Amino acid sequence: MLIQIILSRANFLIVLLIIYPFFYSFGSEIKKNTLSVKANQALEWFQNEKKLVALGNVKIKLDSRNISANKVTVFYEGEINQSNILKIIAEGKAFFNELDMEVSSNKIDYDFISEKIILSEGDIKVIFPNIEIKSDNKLDFYKKDNFFDLFGSSSIVFDKNNYLQASNIRIFLDSSNQIKTFNTSKNSFFKSLDKGLDISGEKMLYDKSLSILEVKNNVIINQGNNKLNGDYAKVDIAKGISTMLSKNSGFISGEFVNLN
C-alpha cells in the first residue's frame, strides 16, 4: 500500500511538471484566441490524439466564452497553444456563456467548425436578455443561422408577456437575438398575458414582423369567459383580433359570456 501511495504521488508530480508550463502559458495573461483551463481533480493532455480532458469543477475561458462542468473534453488541431479548437464537450452540471447568451444543461456539445451547439441529458435552458428557452429532452442551436430546434416538451418566454409551450419548436432569432419567427408541430399552447389570450392547437406559426400567429387543427381560443373553436385561426397579437376559419371540418363555434 505504501509503495502504491508513493508511486501515485510520484505520478502526480510528473503530471504537474508536464502540465505546469501549460497552465502558465494559458493562465497568466488571457489574450485573443487563447485557452485557459482550471480543474481541481485532474487534467490529462493527450498530445498524439490532440485532446485535453479536465475533471472536477472545471473552468474554461476561450476569448469571450466561459464554460464550466464536472468534466470537459477539448479537441483541437495543430498546436494547442494556437487554440485551434474543433470541439468542446462539457458534461455534468454544464454551463456556458457568451456575450448576452447563457446556456445550462447536463451535457453541452459545442462544434466550433459547424458552429452548432447541442444540449442534452437534463434540464436544458438558454437565456437571452428578453428570451428564456427550456427543453426537457434536446436542443440544437445553429449559430450561423441563429435558430434553435427544440425536441420534447419545450417552452419559450419572450417579450415578458408571451409564453409558448409545445412538443417540438423551431425558433428563429433576429440580429438582436429577439424572436423573429417560430413554428411548432405538436401539442401547442400560446399565452399572451397582457392581451389575456390563451390559444391551443396542434401546429403554430408566428411572425413577429406581422404580429400574426397562425394556428392549425383543434384550435381553441380563450379570452376571459369568451371562447372560439375551429380548425384554423389567425390571431393578430398586437391588435387583439382573432379570426377563426374552417378549412377542414366545416365547423366553427363561439361562446361569449356576459357576467353582468
Side-chain angles (χ1 to χ4, degrees):
M1 178 64 73
L2 180 59
I3 294 175
Q4 288 179 338
I5 294 173
I6 293 172
L7 288 174
S8 176
R9 289 180 178 176
N11 289 334
F12 179 70
L13 288 173
I14 291 171
V15 170
L16 282 179
L17 289 172
I18 293 172
I19 296 303
Y20 176 74
F22 172 84
F23 266 109
Y24 181 80
S25 173
F26 295 110
S28 57
E29 184 180 354
I30 307 303
K31 299 178 181 178
K32 188 175 181 180
N33 294 323
T34 63
L35 174 68
S36 171
V37 182
K38 294 181 180 180
N40 64 12
Q41 289 185 13
L43 180 59
E44 297 178 286
W45 188 7
F46 300 87
Q47 294 166 316
N48 293 334
E49 299 176 37
K50 297 189 180 300
K51 180 175 72 173
L52 188 72
V53 180
L55 299 172
N57 194 27
V58 184
K59 308 288 184 184
I60 287 184
K61 184 172 180 61
L62 178 62
D63 299 335
S64 62
R65 307 176 185 94
N66 295 281
I67 300 172
S68 63
N70 295 332
K71 176 183 177 181
V72 177
T73 306
V74 179
F75 301 89
Y76 65 94
E77 63 180 359
E79 297 297 327
I80 183 65
N81 59 5
Q82 294 176 4
S83 294
N84 299 318
I85 307 302
L86 300 177
K87 177 184 284 193
I88 292 179
I89 299 176
E91 302 172 84
K93 297 181 179 179
F95 174 83
F96 162 76
N97 77 289
E98 179 178 5
L99 301 177
D100 62 350
M101 179 180 71
E102 293 185 359
V103 172
S104 60
S105 178
N106 198 49
K107 183 176 181 181
I108 299 175
D109 187 330
Y110 191 157
D111 190 317
F112 283 71
I113 303 303
S114 65
E115 293 192 58
K116 179 180 178 182
I117 302 173
I118 299 175
L119 311 179
S120 59
E121 298 181 11
D123 293 333
I124 296 166
K125 185 183 293 185
V126 179
I127 298 176
F128 291 95
N130 201 32
I131 305 171
E132 182 174 281
I133 303 170
K134 293 182 179 181
S135 177
D136 68 355
N137 187 351
K138 181 173 175 284
L139 180 152
D140 295 344
F141 176 33
Y142 299 82
K143 289 188 65 180
K144 286 183 179 178
D145 299 310
N146 214 17
F147 78 89
F148 296 81
D149 278 333
L150 284 67
F151 304 93
S153 180
S154 305
S155 66
I156 59 173
V157 178
F158 62 101
D159 297 336
K160 297 182 180 179
N161 292 304
N162 297 321
Y163 171 81
L164 172 72
Q165 183 175 1
S167 293
N168 297 299
I169 306 173
R170 172 168 285 187
I171 309 165
F172 283 88
L173 304 184
D174 61 21
S175 58
S176 301
N177 289 329
Q178 303 297 314
I179 291 289
K180 183 179 180 181
T181 65
F182 67 69
N183 62 75
T184 69
S185 59
K186 191 176 180 182
N187 301 328
S188 305
F189 174 77
F190 177 84
K191 186 178 187 70
S192 175
L193 294 175
D194 57 343
K195 301 299 180 181
L197 277 172
D198 288 351
I199 305 170
S200 61
E202 194 66 13
K203 299 180 180 180
M204 292 186 179
L205 174 62
Y206 176 70
D207 187 330
K208 186 176 181 179
S209 65
L210 302 174
S211 189
I212 295 296
L213 177 69
E214 292 186 64
V215 191
K216 299 179 181 179
N217 303 331
N218 302 316
V219 181
I220 300 173
I221 300 176
N222 288 295
Q223 187 171 30
N225 295 291
N226 305 316
K227 182 177 181 180
L228 297 176
N229 291 76
D231 55 31
Y232 178 81
K234 273 191 173 183
V235 182
D236 188 320
I237 303 297
K239 295 180 180 179
I241 301 174
S242 300
T243 304
M244 186 72 72
L245 303 171
S246 176
K247 290 193 172 184
N248 300 316
S249 66
F251 175 78
I252 300 172
S253 70
E255 296 180 8
F256 304 93
V257 179
N258 187 350
L259 296 179
N260 295 326

